[in-house]
């Protein structure tokens, strides 16, 4: 499971605390402003500086709109000539939906560009070389890790071809998701909802199984404390494997956010009842891995999964849990509730085999929250 340090998820801190240069830190903070809105593009922030003072700032808002460098140049105006530019990601060198940012920086006559991390995308990379060829000084941050962390999902999609999977669990102290199988339960209450809403807002898509739709009829939307819908909503994904969800489910009928059905295995061809406004994608091969590849092809980098025991067990067994957020309430649910993991113990003699390591922990109102990251597989760094 996992791919190293760039997979880290932060709920109680941010990457700017680990960026030494104050202008690069500011650029990272600007980039974070658009979290959850830029897919399939990365988060990017830019600051233009003259004589130690920021004269222009910008961040990429969403795909198809101007990139961070262009917005910062517009803010700086003619003062950008001879200035220093601080940007979280190597300026692009290709023509996509917008012109190349490297060309815009060259045309503006900037003197120096400081870059958080190189662009690994073969279609867009090469901006640093183009800048140098135009006589502009180019420097890279000594530590690219904070900037990789900023765009963990985007990088994971480019490098692996599948979405980065964050699993969120709401548990009792005795590790139960509910009081009984197939029955709706509020284990972590309003505090757990706060964490869920934050995770959804930061995700490109939110996935649940058909069994969860049948039991809970969730909306899977991003809402504020008064229940008002946010302007930007992640894609809602229903995984249909063993059950067929009800046609009247909110995710199919409320039109609050786009919805996609992923039909796998024996359920392929059984979703004719789904409204025409809902996309259906049939997956073959390894159901879950194939489903996450299909989502990546739709531009999903950050995928949040809110599973029941069966789906969690399948994700864990197939090695598809990249990050795990466990919200724990201070009570017990009893042995009538379903166990979290339905497979065999993973042990080495009398020792537990560990696949994840904790990277953050904190308290939200009356629940604890622990963030786990997958350990590198054997042979990976």
């Amino acid at each position: 499971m996992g791919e190293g340090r760039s997979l880290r998820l932060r709920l109680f801190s941010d990457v700017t605390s680990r960026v030494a240069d104050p202008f690069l830190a500011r650029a990272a903070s600007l980039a974070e402003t658009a979290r959850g809105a830029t897919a399939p593009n990365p988060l990017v922030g830019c600051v233009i500086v003259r004589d130690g003072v920021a004269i222009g700032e910008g961040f990429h808002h969403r795909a198809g709109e101007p990139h961070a460098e262009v917005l910062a140049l517009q803010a700086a105006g003619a003062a950008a000539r001879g200035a220093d530019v601080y940007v979280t990601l190597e300026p692009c060198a290709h023509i996509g939906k917008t012109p190349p940012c490297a060309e815009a920086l060259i045309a503006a006559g900037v003197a120096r560009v400081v870059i958080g991390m190189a662009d690994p995308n073969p279609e867009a990379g090469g901006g640093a070389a183009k800048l140098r060829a135009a006589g502009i000084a180019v420097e890279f941050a000594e530590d690219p890790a904070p900037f990789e962390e900023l765009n963990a999902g985007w990088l994971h999609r480019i490098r692996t071809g599948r979405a980065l999977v964050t699993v969120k669990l709401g548990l009792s102290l005795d590790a139960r998701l509910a009081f009984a199988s197939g029955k709706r339960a509020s284990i972590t209450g309003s505090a757990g909802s706060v964490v869920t809403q934050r995770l959804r807002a930061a995700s490109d898509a939110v996935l649940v199984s058909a069994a969860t739709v049948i039991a809970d009829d969730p909306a899977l939307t991003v809402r504020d404390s008064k229940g008002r819908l946010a302007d930007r909503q992640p894609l809602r994904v229903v995984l249909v494997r063993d059950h067929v969800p009800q046609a009247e489910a909110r995710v199919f009928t409320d039109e609050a956010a786009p919805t996609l059905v992923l039909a796998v295995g024996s359920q392929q061809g059984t979703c004719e009842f789904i409204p025409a406004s809902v996309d259906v994608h049939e997956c073959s091969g390894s159901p879950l891995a194939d489903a996450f590849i299909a989502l990546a092809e739709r531009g999903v980098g950050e995928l949040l999964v809110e599973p029941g025991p069966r789906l969690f067990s399948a994700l864990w067994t197939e090695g598809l849990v990249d990050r795990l957020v466990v919200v724990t309430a201070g009570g017990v649910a009893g042995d009538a509730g379903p166990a979290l993991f339905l497979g065999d113990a993973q042990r080495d003699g009398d020792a537990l085999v560990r696949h994840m390591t904790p990277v953050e922990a904190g308290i939200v109102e009356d629940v604890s929250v622990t963030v786990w990251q997958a350990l590198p597989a054997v042979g990976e760094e």
Side-chain angles (χ1 to χ4, degrees), residues 120-183:
N121 189 344
E123 296 180 357
K130 182 169 287 190
L131 292 170
R132 288 188 175 116
I136 297 173
V138 175
E139 301 173 18
F140 281 89
E142 291 185 6
D143 183 11
F147 306 98
E148 293 176 355
E149 193 175 303
L150 186 70
N151 278 305
W154 177 75
L155 287 167
H156 192 270
R157 178 173 63 84
I158 290 174
R159 291 169 174 167
T160 70
R162 73 164 174 86
L164 175 65
V165 178
T166 298
V167 172
K168 178 262 177 181
L169 300 171
L171 301 177
S172 60
L173 287 175
D174 52 344
R176 304 290 174 167
L177 289 161
F179 300 111
S181 296
K183 301 294 184 180

Side-chain angles (χ1 to χ4, degrees), residues 253-330:
T253 60
D254 65 10
E255 299 183 350
T259 301
L260 170 70
V261 170
L262 291 176
V264 300
S266 62
Q267 298 301 340
Q268 294 187 45
T270 65
C271 296
E272 295 86 354
F273 68 90
I274 300 297
S277 60
V278 176
D279 288 340
V280 177
H281 179 88
E282 296 188 346
C283 301
S284 58
S286 175
L288 293 177
D290 193 62
F292 297 157
I293 290 171
L295 289 173
E297 290 172 348
R298 289 173 176 256
V300 174
E302 293 277 359
L303 174 63
L304 174 65
V305 181
E306 300 177 18
R310 291 189 54 143
L311 179 54
F312 174 75
S313 299
L315 289 167
W316 186 273
T317 301
E318 293 190 33
L320 293 172
V321 181
D322 298 308
R323 304 184 301 201
L324 179 65
V325 179
V326 180
V327 183
T328 306

Side-chain angles (χ1 to χ4, degrees), residues 196-209:
T196 299
Q197 291 298 317
R198 181 172 177 183
L199 290 170
R200 288 179 183 174
S203 302
D204 302 326
V206 181
L207 182 147
V208 297
S209 68

Side-chain angles (χ1 to χ4, degrees), residues 44-103:
V44 183
C46 180
V47 178
I48 299 178
V49 177
R50 176 182 285 279
D51 298 326
V53 177
I55 58 173
E57 296 182 340
F59 64 92
H60 184 45
H61 291 251
R62 57 183 57 86
E65 295 190 5
H67 289 188
E69 299 93 323
V70 173
L71 293 174
L73 287 171
Q74 290 175 355
R81 184 164 297 277
D84 296 334
V85 177
Y86 295 80
V87 62
T88 56
L89 180 68
E90 180 181 5
C92 62
H94 80 306
I95 298 176
K97 292 183 179 180
T98 59
C101 294
E103 295 288 356

